[in-house]
Amino acid sequence: RNYAAGDARRDTAFSVLFVVGNLGAALSGLLVSSVGHEYGWSYGFALAGAGLALGLGAFASMWRSFPRTPTSQTPAPLTKVDRQRVSVVGLTILLVSLSAAAYDFAMTPLLSTSANIDADRLGLVESMTVLVLALPLAYFLAACRRRGRKSSSLLKIAIGILLTAFGVLSALPFMLDRTLGTTLSWGWVVFPLLTAVGTLLIVPVSWSFVSKLAPKRYASTTMAVFLMATSLLS
């Protein structure tokens, strides 16, 4: 609702949202895990709860300033175009959710076989990789737009899914031989690098894409279904 149809800033806004989320995950890996290891996990989780409360408080203090679209008392039925859009949105949600599930499937053996990196530290590595790559990727996409090589949302999502797939394939040696995860090797570089770039292309772009295609009456519901489907498949 903050951006008109065709406004390129919508994709950027979702990218900022995703990067800030990973910033929170990185801080969690630094602060919460450090407090948990040093003083006990009850204090670590309490710190996470305090951060969540601060975030909800900030949202509650500003939500009245968000623009609102008046809703009709008698909503019009979905048109043929709306139903076609819903089909595309459903397929997008399925593909993105399956990609997220494949990523989690590959991450599990890396966590279970790692003798040198704690699970919370590995999550920190993942988030930091996203943060480091976000700005160069944004500059690259902006340069492509300036040269008239603007890529469609579906193409970005497809490339992101392929990169994630290659990242998952790079984890196959760890899945086949559980002893490989006990030492640092190329897998610890290739896997987070490919999946981080893939995630940067998939998640914010798919959020933006779904928000643009979903019928206005069901925009919020569609986004909720999207997030729930990803969570359930993971």
Side-chain angles (χ1 to χ4, degrees):
R1 294 178 179 179
N2 291 331
Y3 303 98
D7 193 337
R9 295 178 300 170
R10 182 191 297 261
D11 289 359
T12 305
F14 279 106
S15 297
V16 171
L17 173 63
F18 181 66
V19 169
V20 170
N22 276 274
L23 176 60
L27 290 176
S28 173
L30 285 172
L31 300 178
V32 175
S33 62
S34 297
V35 172
H37 285 294
E38 186 70 23
Y39 301 103
W41 286 104
S42 297
Y43 295 100
F45 290 131
L47 181 60
L52 177 60
L54 288 175
L56 289 175
F59 175 79
S61 66
M62 294 184 292
W63 75 274
R64 295 183 183 277
S65 63
F66 297 156
R68 288 175 173 77
T69 303
T71 57
S72 173
Q73 298 296 328
T74 56
L78 294 178
T79 64
K80 181 180 179 180
V81 174
D82 287 336
R83 290 193 292 270
Q84 291 173 344
R85 288 186 170 190
V86 169
S87 300
V88 175
V89 166
L91 180 60
T92 303
I93 291 175
L94 178 62
L95 290 176
V96 172
S97 300
L98 288 175
S99 175
Y103 170 80
D104 290 336
F105 179 73
M107 178 64 80
T108 300
L110 294 183
L111 292 176
S112 62
T113 59
S114 173
N116 298 324
I117 302 180
D118 294 331
D120 48 7
R121 305 301 184 188
L122 185 59
L124 172 62
V125 171
E126 177 191 353
S127 298
M128 290 301 297
T129 305
V130 170
L131 292 175
V132 170
L133 294 176
L135 191 58
L137 182 61
Y139 274 112
F140 173 75
L141 295 177
C144 291
R145 286 195 298 268
R146 287 194 298 268
R147 297 179 181 179
R149 299 178 181 177
K150 183 179 179 181
S151 302
S152 66
S153 297
L154 286 178
L155 178 60
K156 293 177 183 177
I157 295 173
I159 294 175
I161 290 177
L162 287 176
L163 290 175
T164 303
F166 284 125
V168 171
L169 290 176
S170 72
L172 278 179
F174 296 90
M175 301 169 67
L176 297 176
D177 187 353
R178 299 176 65 88
T179 62
L180 291 177
T182 59
T183 58
L184 292 175
S185 65
W186 59 270
W188 295 103
V189 177
V190 175
F191 182 79
L193 183 63
L194 290 179
T195 54
V197 177
T199 301
L200 281 168
L201 289 173
I202 294 174
V203 178
V205 175
S206 61
W207 286 348
S208 176
F209 181 70
V210 169
S211 71
K212 287 184 286 189
L213 278 190
K216 291 184 178 180
R217 286 171 50 195
Y218 303 108
S220 299
T221 303
T222 303
M223 289 299 297
V225 170
F226 188 3
L227 298 175
M228 184 175 66
T230 304
S231 176
L232 289 175
L233 280 176
S234 295

